């Protein structure tokens, strides 16, 4: 499995394919070609000074007679948040989402409590939320800040939470990771509980947003419920490694955008994190001190199946996407997945299937 030396799928395709083939491969892999955004020169200069990648693309919708375009700029990014947020502001970003548990190493592999649980903090008024409130207000930007939450009002329970901060600087609310991985070194159940807040959608000045945290992207019904509650953009802040999920990554968030007539933003960490003590995870692997390679490759996908190229696998980055939210309804009106979905039938059958005396409907000869 490649580490940092393999920069990105896009770079590899561009290096090896003749132009006519490249155009066809890109059409199949990424859908319609997106216009590159003309981002300010000073934004590129600042990104280069701070040593992170900057890319921008526009998702355009057809002009309508009754509605004006509903343009929103969103972004997915990695570390060095303040400098990166400043560059995002130069690019006119309206909503920004950071990677999962962005304030800490992804230490859940270790199963050691200290010092890692020291990173947990209040979603409402912890230091990270206060920091993000300043960023939000200064830059008139909605900030989605995924943290490890300590809920001291309920017995210090820990949760994997995304705090949503309005562009006014007020905390709009929070949402919690519903599904906890039990795979490989993702020993996260040692640290926090399955979310209990359902599938909230946040009405912001720039559109209705939701957050499906990392492992929730493997659950189509989790995406569906955010969409049923009206989400137009669903962020998927993640921390995932190549050996486990790199072949799933380009498919899942993109498929969710198509299936739910919404935009999705898949955001991943970059690099390898080393821990002081060796750990194992009961999977036969020798004791080791790192999680594996977090392969970045963040991207934004649209309801019409188009998507941006991925950010690099090896560098911090800021991906700016200009979305016209009218595209959600336009695609819905063509494909009608919402209208043709048999939700009542699924609800009835699922309600039966979860009963302890249920037996699956299998017709046999
Ligand atoms: N952070 C997290 O839930 N990772 C699980 C692995 C994956 O979903 O790819």
């Amino acid at each position: 499995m490649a580490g940092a030396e393999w920069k990105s799928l896009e770079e590899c395709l561009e290096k090896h394919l003749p132009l006519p083939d490249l155009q066809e491969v890109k059409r199949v892999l990424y859908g319609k070609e997106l216009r590159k955004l003309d981002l300010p020169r000073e934004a590129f200069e600042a990104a280069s000074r701070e040593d992170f990648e900057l890319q921008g693309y526009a998702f355009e919708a057809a002009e309508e007679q009754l509605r004006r375009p509903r343009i929103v700029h969103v972004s997915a990014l990695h570390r060095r948040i303040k400098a990166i947020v400043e560059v995002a502001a130069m690019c006119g970003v309206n909503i920004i989402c950071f990677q999962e548990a962005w304030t800490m190493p992804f230490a859940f592999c270790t199963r050691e409590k200290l010092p890692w649980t020291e990173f947990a903090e209040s979603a409402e008024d912890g230091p990270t939320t206060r920091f993000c409130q300043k960023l939000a207000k200064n830059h008139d930007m909605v900030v989605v800040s995924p943290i490890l939450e300590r809920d001291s009002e309920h017995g210090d329970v820990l949760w994997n939470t995304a705090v949503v901060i309005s562009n006014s600087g007020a905390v709009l609310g929070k949402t919690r990771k519903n599904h906890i991985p039990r795979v490989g070194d993702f020993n996260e159940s040692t640290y926090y509980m399955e979310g209990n807040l359902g599938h909230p959608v946040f009405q912001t000045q720039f559109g209705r947003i939701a957050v499906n945290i990392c492992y929730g992207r493997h659950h189509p019904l989790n995406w569906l419920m955010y969409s049923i509650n009206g989400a137009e953009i669903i962020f998927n802040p993640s921390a995932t490694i190549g050996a486990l999920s790199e072949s799933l990554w380009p498919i899942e968030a993109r498929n969710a955008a198509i299936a739910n007539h919404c935009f999705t933003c898949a955001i991943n960490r970059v690099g390898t994190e080393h821990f002081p003590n060796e750990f194992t995870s009961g999977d036969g692997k020798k004791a080791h001190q790192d999680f594996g390679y977090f392969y970045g490759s963040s991207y934004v996908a649209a309801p019409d199946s188009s998507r941006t190229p991925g950010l690099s696998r090896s560098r911090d980055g800021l991906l700016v996407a200009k979305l016209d939210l009218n595209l959600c309804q336009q695609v819905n009106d063509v494909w009608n997945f919402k209208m043709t979905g048999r939700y009542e039938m699924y609800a009835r059958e699922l309600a039966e299937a979860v009963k302890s005396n249920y037996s699956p409907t299998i017709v046999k000869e």
Side-chain angles (χ1 to χ4, degrees), residues 54-320:
L54 174 62
Q55 291 193 39
Y57 298 91
F59 290 90
E60 279 145 354
E63 207 171 297
E64 299 182 12
Q65 296 181 71
L66 301 181
R67 296 189 303 174
R68 282 202 295 271
R70 298 173 58 220
I71 307 288
V72 56
H73 289 75
V74 301
S75 104
L77 80 169
H78 312 280
R79 288 168 296 179
R80 292 182 281 137
I81 293 299
K82 189 163 177 292
I84 295 178
V85 170
E86 278 158 14
V87 173
M90 289 177 205
C91 299
V93 162
N94 305 119
I95 310 174
I96 198 161
C97 179
F98 307 151
Q99 68 191 21
E100 181 183 17
W102 73 269
T103 58
M104 58 183 291
F106 214 69
F108 307 132
C109 50
T110 65
R111 277 189 261 108
E112 292 165 353
K113 294 298 175 101
L114 288 174
W116 315 116
T117 55
E118 290 184 69
F119 283 96
E121 53 178 301
S122 159
E124 284 72 26
D125 56 9
T128 300
T129 295
R130 278 189 266 116
F131 167 73
C132 291
Q133 285 181 283
K134 279 196 211 130
L135 290 178
K137 196 158 184 228
N138 287 348
H139 298 299
D140 189 25
M141 199 186 287
V142 172
V143 175
V144 180
S145 168
I147 58 167
L148 184 62
E149 177 193 359
R150 178 179 295 279
D151 184 0
S152 50
E153 308 232 316
H154 295 94
D156 270 337
V157 178
L158 303 192
W159 308 92
N160 186 321
T161 298
V163 186
V164 179
I165 298 156
S166 164
N167 53 319
S168 68
V171 175
L172 194 53
K174 65 184 174 187
T175 179
R176 289 173 173 153
K177 181 170 179 172
N178 284 327
H179 303 274
I180 302 187
R182 288 169 171 81
V183 56
D185 286 335
F186 289 88
N187 299 316
E188 299 178 36
S189 58
T190 306
Y191 293 88
Y192 55 82
M193 297 302 291
E194 262 94 7
N196 59 354
L197 299 178
H199 298 85
V201 168
F202 302 90
Q203 176 74 66
T204 75
Q205 193 185 311
F206 310 110
R208 291 188 301 272
I209 67 171
V211 194
N212 180 5
I213 303 176
C214 195
Y215 188 74
R217 79 182 178 284
H218 311 302
H219 294 268
L221 293 183
N222 211 44
W223 295 102
L224 173 72
M225 289 313 300
Y226 295 114
S227 161
I228 282 189
N229 285 336
E232 294 167 300
I233 308 170
I234 308 177
F235 291 95
N236 175 232
S238 299
T240 187
I241 53 164
L244 182 69
S245 67
E246 199 162 359
S247 56
L248 282 55
W249 182 254
I251 301 168
E252 291 172 309
R254 189 171 180 206
N255 188 52
I258 298 167
N260 296 295
H261 302 313
C262 65
F263 288 92
T264 60
C265 307
I267 305 157
N268 191 19
R269 296 189 170 224
V270 167
T272 306
E273 297 173 0
H274 297 272
F275 296 96
N277 304 319
E278 292 185 332
F279 55 87
T280 58
S281 295
D283 56 3
K285 282 202 199 130
K286 283 215 166 67
H288 46 290
Q289 283 175 266
D290 70 75
F291 219 133
Y293 190 68
F294 293 102
Y295 55 84
S297 310
S298 302
Y299 69 97
V300 177
D304 66 357
S305 90
S306 58
R307 57 155 284 184
T308 67
L311 283 180
S312 153
R313 296 174 81 256
S314 56
R315 288 184 74 201
D316 291 344
L318 170 67
L319 175 60
V320 179

